[in-house]
Amino acid sequence: MNYKKEFITYKLADTLKQSSKITNALFDRYGVKRGLRNADGSGVLVGLTKIGNVVGYERTKDGALKPIPGKLFYRGYDIEDLVHAVMKEGRFGFEETAFLLLSGNLPDRDELSDFREMLYGNMPLTHDSTISIIRQRGNNIMNILARTVLEMYTFDANPDDLSRENAMRQSVELISRFPTVVAYAYNVLRHNEKGRSLIIRHPDRGLSFAENFLYMLKRDYTELEARTLDLLLILQAEHGGGNNSTFTVRVTSSTMTDIYSSIAAGIGSLKGPLHGGANIQVVDMFNHLKENIADRKDTDEIDAYFTRILNREAYNRKGLIYGIGHAVYTVSDPRALLLRELARDLAKEKGRSDEFEFLELLEERAVKTFADVKNNGKTVSSNVDFYSGFVYEMIGLPVEIYTPLFAMARIVGWTAHRNEELNFAGRRIIRPAYKNVLDAAEYVPIAER
């Protein structure tokens, strides 16, 4: 019986290989923008938003793309201004960022205080939700997060109510509970897979969002660790409506489904290695380079090794330098520049300044080598993933939660975009077209096949 199953599976898979084959020439003939990308690499315009704006180039009069320093705007505010204001005042800023993205306005002191109280008050999970996480099996936190979000539907008294008030309530509750779910899920995984004690700490209203997560996950942390995590959460909270997971949330929301189904779909999208897992690859590549570069200050040796990587002769032979390049940013990624500021201080605190300087040199040489080897005129820079994985590692965060941390921040952008999608005047379900390129076939009776 098992032999038959394997045979049928193999046969179906082999048939799929043939039946799904579509040549590039057909895409060109019908003008299909594969991956919703234009020929110049820019994204196809499919919607309008007032939430986030990702800027990496400008169009010249002849329609060509001109690389410019990257900019990221939240509700019209430059992310650099938001981050530097928080750093200058020595306070945590993720909560303010969440309020801004959800409402469209910067909060005053009273509004921010009330919003924080609401966030922290919603952080504790119900007894049933906690037990559910403890009982779940599996070693992928993203999968556990998605299952937990779907289960939240059953504990919501009005899960299908799409009114603005209810949608905002659900948004705040999800933002509040993501750090608790991720922290608990990892502690359970650590208990089940690594034989460690199972410790469940309740969130503390006296701590910030970032501090609460670190407290629930590992209890002990430094102030700089918490502030660096707070910065990472701010930088990853939103990135326009075109990134894959946010677009997934908008597509599913356009069907008028419940928020839990829509956010679970976004988690599934972010879980993919082409989207949310890049920082894990950067850390792996960095560790590989530390072992294979004899002189960490020799630019010729570094350039030669990067050339081998790009030519698929070294590392994982996929021809990629992880953390270099972005779909929109060209000259620079503002998130990477901002993160680098605190990463330097954190490396000094952890006694890892030499590694940080090596990472900075790798960044410089990777960009140059890419330009020399590819020689395609494309301008590339490091992206936020180039530093985020190293920062997570210095904070003492396990690799299993790198992508869940991304989700913990991006849930703000997801809910903001969902609410905008639901409140469009004359809203319509998102339904693009696919061209069928197979000729009609005449049915053949089973006896004649």
Side-chain angles (χ1 to χ4, degrees):
M1 184 64 183
N2 287 336
Y3 169 76
K4 287 184 178 180
K5 278 186 177 180
E6 291 177 6
F7 177 75
I8 292 298
T9 300
Y10 173 81
K11 193 170 184 179
L12 288 171
D14 189 59
T15 303
L16 173 64
K17 180 180 178 181
Q18 298 302 320
S19 63
S20 61
K21 186 177 181 180
I22 300 176
T23 64
N24 290 333
L26 285 175
F27 284 93
D28 294 337
R29 179 190 302 176
Y30 294 108
V32 177
K33 307 295 179 67
R34 299 191 71 178
L36 290 181
R37 301 281 188 89
N38 295 307
D40 58 14
S42 61
V44 173
L45 185 62
V46 297
L48 303 174
T49 184
K50 289 185 174 181
I51 300 172
N53 189 22
V54 184
V55 181
Y57 54 82
E58 61 184 18
R59 288 200 178 274
T60 60
K61 291 182 179 180
D62 61 1
L65 300 185
K66 177 184 176 182
I68 60 174
K71 287 288 185 181
L72 175 60
F73 297 90
Y74 288 176
R75 295 289 189 176
Y77 294 96
D78 192 323
I79 189 68
E80 294 178 44
D81 294 336
L82 295 171
V83 167
H84 284 146
V86 168
M87 293 172 66
K88 181 179 179 181
E89 296 171 17
R91 58 187 177 83
F92 294 94
F94 180 70
E95 296 87 339
E96 178 180 342
T97 302
F99 185 101
L100 170 65
L101 289 171
L102 287 176
S103 71
N105 300 305
L106 285 170
D108 60 28
R109 291 184 184 278
D110 290 339
E111 288 173 330
L112 182 56
S113 178
D114 291 342
F115 183 66
R116 281 174 172 156
E117 282 297 311
M118 185 162 57
L119 278 178
Y120 305 155
N122 279 295
M123 272 189 173
L125 301 179
T126 64
H127 174 75
D128 289 339
S129 292
T130 302
I131 295 300
S132 175
I133 293 173
I134 293 174
R135 286 176 175 171
Q136 288 191 41
R137 290 291 179 266
N139 57 9
N140 189 292
I141 305 298
M142 287 294 280
N143 181 267
I144 294 172
L145 180 61
R147 281 184 274 163
T148 303
V149 167
L150 285 172
E151 193 174 51
M152 287 180 184
Y153 178 98
T154 64
F155 300 118
D156 189 330
N158 298 294
D160 296 304
D161 179 0
L162 300 182
S163 67
R164 283 191 294 272
E165 295 77 14
N166 195 58
M168 193 60 73
R169 171 190 66 82
Q170 292 173 324
S171 299
V172 173
E173 289 180 357
L174 280 168
I175 294 168
S176 301
R177 291 168 185 166
F178 263 44
T180 314
V181 173
V182 173
Y184 286 10
Y186 175 73
N187 287 333
V188 171
L189 180 150
R190 187 180 65 168
H191 171 71
N192 292 337
E193 302 291 329
K194 302 178 182 181
R196 301 286 296 276
S197 297
L198 177 57
I199 299 173
I200 299 295
R201 296 187 188 89
H202 295 294
D204 186 337
R205 282 176 177 263
L207 302 177
S208 70
F209 195 90
E211 288 175 309
N212 255 306
F213 177 72
L214 293 175
Y215 170 72
M216 289 187 288
L217 185 79
K218 62 182 190 125
R219 189 180 66 184
D220 298 322
Y221 57 88
T222 68
E223 181 178 351
L224 184 55
E225 287 177 350
R227 293 196 180 282
T228 306
L229 178 59
D230 179 69
L231 172 63
L232 268 164
L233 294 174
I234 294 172
L235 296 179
Q236 295 183 319
E238 156 64 3
H239 214 234
N243 71 82
N244 196 282
S245 57
T246 300
F247 187 58
T248 297
V249 170
R250 293 201 74 133
V251 169
T252 52
S253 295
S254 75
T255 71
M256 311 301 286
T257 192
D258 65 278
I259 190 171
Y260 305 103
S261 296
S262 185
I263 297 303
I267 293 170
S269 167
L270 188 67
K271 180 176 176 289
L274 294 184
H275 189 2
N279 48 26
I280 299 175
Q281 292 287 352
V282 173
V283 170
D284 186 71
M285 181 187 72
F286 183 45
N287 291 331
H288 174 85
L289 291 171
K290 284 191 291 185
E291 295 176 359
N292 288 273
I293 301 294
D295 185 347
R296 296 184 182 181
K297 295 184 179 181
D298 187 339
T299 57
D300 290 337
E301 182 184 2
I302 294 171
D303 291 355
Y305 204 84
F306 273 140
T307 299
R308 292 182 60 203
I309 289 177
L310 289 171
N311 289 331
R312 302 174 187 266
E313 297 169 353
Y315 185 43
N316 60 10
R317 290 176 168 75
K318 291 186 177 180
L320 299 173
I321 300 178
Y322 295 98
I324 299 297
H326 190 269
V328 180
Y329 296 126
T330 52
V331 175
S332 60
D333 179 343
R335 303 169 302 169
L337 299 181
L338 290 165
L339 181 58
R340 190 167 58 190
E341 292 181 35
L342 276 183
R344 183 178 290 105
D345 294 335
L346 188 62
K348 184 177 180 180
E349 177 182 275
K350 302 300 179 184
R352 301 180 68 175
S353 293
D354 288 347
E355 288 181 77
F356 178 77
E357 290 173 6
F358 181 46
L359 190 60
E360 279 192 302
L361 183 58
L362 289 175
E363 175 189 20
E364 173 195 311
R365 306 317 299 177
V367 171
K368 182 182 184 304
T369 307
F370 184 94
D372 292 343
V373 173
K374 296 297 184 181
N375 195 27
N376 57 8
K378 184 178 180 181
T379 302
V380 298
S381 66
S382 65
N383 57 53
V384 69
D385 292 318
F386 196 83
Y387 286 97
S388 62
F390 181 57
V391 168
Y392 286 151
E393 188 181 47
M394 287 194 293
I395 294 175
L397 301 175
V399 68
E400 291 92 342
I401 67 168
Y402 285 8
T403 308
L405 277 168
F406 197 160
M408 200 171 86
R410 189 56 60 84
I411 180 61
V412 176
W414 288 341
T415 52
H417 278 276
R418 171 181 165 81
N419 293 341
E420 185 179 64
E421 185 69 37
L422 291 177
N423 283 281
F424 271 150
R427 59 194 176 200
R428 301 181 70 180
I429 187 173
I430 297 175
R431 205 286 189 194
Y434 265 67
K435 171 73 176 177
N436 180 65
V437 291
L438 183 66
D439 294 334
E442 184 176 342
Y443 180 79
V444 179
I446 193 168
E448 300 174 16
R449 296 174 205 166

Coordinates of all heavy atoms in Angstrom, one line a residue, residues 196 228 367 420 442 448:
R196 N 15.0 22.2 29.1 CA 15.1 23.3 30.1 C 13.8 23.4 30.9 O 12.7 23.0 30.5 CB 15.4 24.6 29.3 CG 16.6 24.6 28.5 CD 17.9 24.6 29.3 NE 18.0 25.9 30.0 CZ 18.5 27.0 29.5 NH1 18.9 27.0 28.3 NH2 18.5 28.1 30.2
T228 N 17.8 48.9 22.1 CA 18.1 48.4 20.7 C 17.0 47.6 20.2 O 16.6 47.7 19.0 CB 19.4 47.6 20.8 OG1 20.4 48.4 21.4 CG2 19.8 47.2 19.3
V367 N 29.2 45.5 -1.2 CA 28.6 46.4 -2.2 C 29.5 46.6 -3.4 O 29.1 46.6 -4.5 CB 28.3 47.7 -1.5 CG1 27.8 48.8 -2.5 CG2 27.2 47.5 -0.5
E420 N -7.3 50.2 6.9 CA -7.4 51.1 5.8 C -8.2 50.4 4.6 O -9.0 51.0 4.0 CB -6.0 51.5 5.3 CG -6.1 52.6 4.2 CD -4.7 53.0 3.8 OE1 -3.9 52.2 3.2 OE2 -4.4 54.2 4.0
E442 N -10.7 18.2 -25.9 CA -11.9 17.4 -26.0 C -11.9 16.3 -25.0 O -10.9 15.5 -24.9 CB -12.0 16.9 -27.4 CG -13.4 16.2 -27.7 CD -13.5 15.7 -29.1 OE1 -12.8 16.3 -30.0 OE2 -14.4 14.9 -29.4
E448 N -11.6 4.9 -23.2 CA -10.8 5.1 -24.4 C -9.5 5.7 -24.1 O -8.7 6.0 -25.0 CB -11.6 6.0 -25.4 CG -12.9 5.4 -25.9 CD -13.7 6.4 -26.7 OE1 -13.1 7.4 -27.2 OE2 -14.9 6.2 -26.9

